[in-house]
């Protein structure tokens, strides 16, 4: 496992995202939260993964509880990160929520406490000072943000009067907007970019195509429309070819592409222990400059269905499914 040493911390290049822990919408089954999720966390620690990321909004606190219970006496092996849900993020609300998160996580301090989203109504000047106080008091070690633009990140640092260690943002071969400003600034100033959804919810794993569509929450995502899957095939072809050359999987190559940038760490989720092992192994995968360039060029060439058109298609299909169910119910009543 490679590590990033930035801002006084040592983070595994591959972390563990725990959005799925305790969340039913992923469809992983009843035993996932009680059996599989703790096994995933334990095995990840065994493999050198130390960045464990969660949030108070994930399953309304259940993800934090699962993480806390699973860590047990291995707390010293983990860099625990969680997030403040930004509804009325003012002191004393910030203080209360940080303490509740620490309690659910069963930790004396939170290694990284992140503002989950910028609040469009409550100014950062109301949120950052209480975080600074909690940092001085020792309840949190480092402050981070999530889904912040560069300007918002810089403003957060100004108001904290100290480094905001990280910005957790969506970053992968299909979502690269942060390369314009956020990523270069982070590299220049020794800050961390925590890439969530580095596999675009499994789209870059190579598991799906127009004849093999996902179920569950992915089914209503524009990225998984059959037409988008057809358009994605050239990029998936490059992923498969590079993966074969390394004896790896397309998902591992997609993660390694993200990790080519020195200030990036990734936090993929996992539905099984085997997937967690595969994710962790990507931390040791080194791509050549030529492979990196080929993947980037294939990413540049991908043009998805326009968002408006994609949303309209999903809405139409949902209406058709609903209409079919209504007709079925009506037929049953007539019978």
């Amino acid at each position: 496992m490679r590590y990033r040493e930035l801002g006084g911390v040592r983070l595994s290049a591959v972390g563990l995202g725990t959005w799925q822990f305790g969340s039913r919408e992923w469809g992983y089954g009843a035993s996932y939260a009680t059996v599989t999720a703790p096994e995933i966390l334990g095995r990840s620690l065994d493999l050198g993964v130390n960045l464990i990321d969660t949030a108070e909004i994930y399953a309304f606190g259940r993800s934090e509880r699962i993480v806390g219970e699973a860590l047990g006496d291995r707390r010293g092996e983990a860099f625990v990160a969680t997030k403040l849900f930004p509804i009325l993020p003012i002191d004393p609300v910030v203080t209360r929520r940080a303490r509740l998160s620490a309690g659910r996580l069963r930790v004396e301090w939170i290694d990284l406490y992140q503002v989950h989203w910028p609040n469009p109504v409550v100014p950062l000047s109301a949120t950052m000072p209480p975080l600074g106080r909690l940092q001085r008091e020792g309840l949190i070690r480092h402050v981070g943000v999530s889904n912040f633009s560069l300007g918002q990140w810089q403003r957060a640092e100004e108001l904290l009067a100290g480094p905001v260690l990280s910005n957790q943002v969506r970053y992968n071969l299909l979502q690269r907007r942060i390369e314009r400003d956020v990523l270069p600034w982070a590299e220049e100033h020794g800050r961390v970019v925590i890439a969530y959804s580095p596999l675009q919810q499994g789209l870059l794993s190579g598991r799906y195509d127009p004849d093999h569509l996902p179920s569950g929450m992915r089914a209503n995502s524009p990225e998984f429309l059959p037409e988008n899957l057809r358009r994605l095939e050239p990029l998936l072809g490059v992923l498969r070819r590079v993966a074969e050359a390394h004896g790896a999987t397309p998902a591992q190559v997609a993660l390694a592409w993200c990790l080519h940038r020195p200030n990036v760490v990734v936090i993929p989720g996992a539905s099984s222990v085997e997937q967690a092992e595969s994710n962790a192994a990507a931390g040791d995968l080194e791509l050549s400059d030529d492979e990196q360039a080929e993947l980037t060029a294939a990413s540049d060439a991908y043009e998805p269905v326009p968002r408006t058109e994609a949303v309209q298609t999903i809405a139409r299909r949902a209406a058709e499914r609903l209409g079919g169910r209504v007709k079925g119910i009506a037929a049953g009543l007539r019978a």
Side-chain angles (χ1 to χ4, degrees), residues 57-292:
I57 195 60
Y58 295 166
F60 303 103
R62 194 178 182 198
S63 174
E64 289 181 325
R65 292 190 183 94
I66 292 171
V67 169
E69 292 173 5
L71 278 177
D73 59 5
R74 303 186 69 176
R75 167 67 177 100
E77 300 175 48
F79 184 92
V80 179
T82 192
K83 306 179 199 74
L84 164 73
F85 192 63
I87 297 298
L88 200 62
I90 61 173
D91 200 0
V93 176
V94 171
T95 300
R96 179 173 181 273
R97 288 185 178 169
R99 288 174 177 161
L100 288 172
S101 283
R104 288 189 290 266
L105 288 164
R106 303 185 181 187
V107 297
E108 295 181 14
W109 67 85
I110 299 168
D111 294 305
L112 176 64
Y113 198 45
Q114 306 155 94
V115 183
H116 206 152
W117 290 88
N119 187 302
V121 177
V122 179
L124 280 172
S125 58
T127 305
M128 303 311 294
L131 290 176
R133 178 176 51 75
L134 292 175
Q135 190 175 27
R136 292 189 295 274
E137 292 174 356
L139 181 62
I140 60 180
R141 291 287 175 85
H142 300 275
V143 176
V145 293
S146 182
N147 301 296
F148 273 45
S149 68
L150 176 58
Q152 291 167 331
W153 191 2
Q154 292 170 328
R155 178 60 175 159
E157 283 214 349
E158 178 185 337
L159 293 167
L160 187 68
V164 174
L165 176 67
S166 60
N167 191 358
Q168 184 175 142
V169 290
R170 187 186 297 268
Y171 182 55
N172 56 56
L173 273 163
L174 303 179
Q175 300 280 343
R176 295 169 50 199
R177 284 176 294 181
I178 67 166
E179 292 178 351
R180 293 196 295 263
D181 52 9
V182 170
L183 194 47
W185 185 84
E187 291 181 9
E188 182 180 352
H189 293 83
R191 304 291 186 264
V192 182
V193 168
I194 301 175
Y196 73 80
S197 198
L199 299 176
Q200 193 62 23
Q201 296 188 0
L203 186 61
L204 294 167
S205 69
R207 294 168 51 197
Y208 304 107
D209 59 45
D211 298 321
H212 300 87
L213 299 176
S215 58
M217 64 182 299
R218 295 182 179 94
N220 293 320
S221 174
E223 289 84 358
F224 289 91
L225 287 173
E227 177 58 27
N228 276 337
L229 289 169
R230 278 189 286 271
R231 296 184 183 196
L232 187 63
E233 187 54 39
L235 173 56
L236 292 178
V238 177
L239 281 169
R240 294 188 185 103
R241 187 165 63 253
V242 174
E244 185 177 357
H246 288 271
T249 67
Q252 289 172 326
V253 171
L255 294 176
W257 178 89
C258 292
L259 296 176
H260 189 73
R261 306 300 289 257
N263 283 60
V264 173
V265 298
V266 296
I267 49 169
S271 61
S272 66
V273 170
E274 292 75 19
Q275 187 177 4
E277 291 173 337
S278 178
N279 291 340
D284 293 322
L285 179 58
E286 295 275 4
L287 303 181
S288 70
D289 290 341
D290 287 344
E291 290 169 333
Q292 196 78 15

Side-chain angles (χ1 to χ4, degrees), residues 5-6 8 16 25 58 89 129 161 174 189 214 223 279 281 294 320 328:
E5 297 193 14
L6 299 160
L16 174 65
E25 63 264 29
Y58 295 166
L174 303 179
H189 293 83
E223 289 84 358
N279 291 340
E294 186 178 8
E320 291 171 352

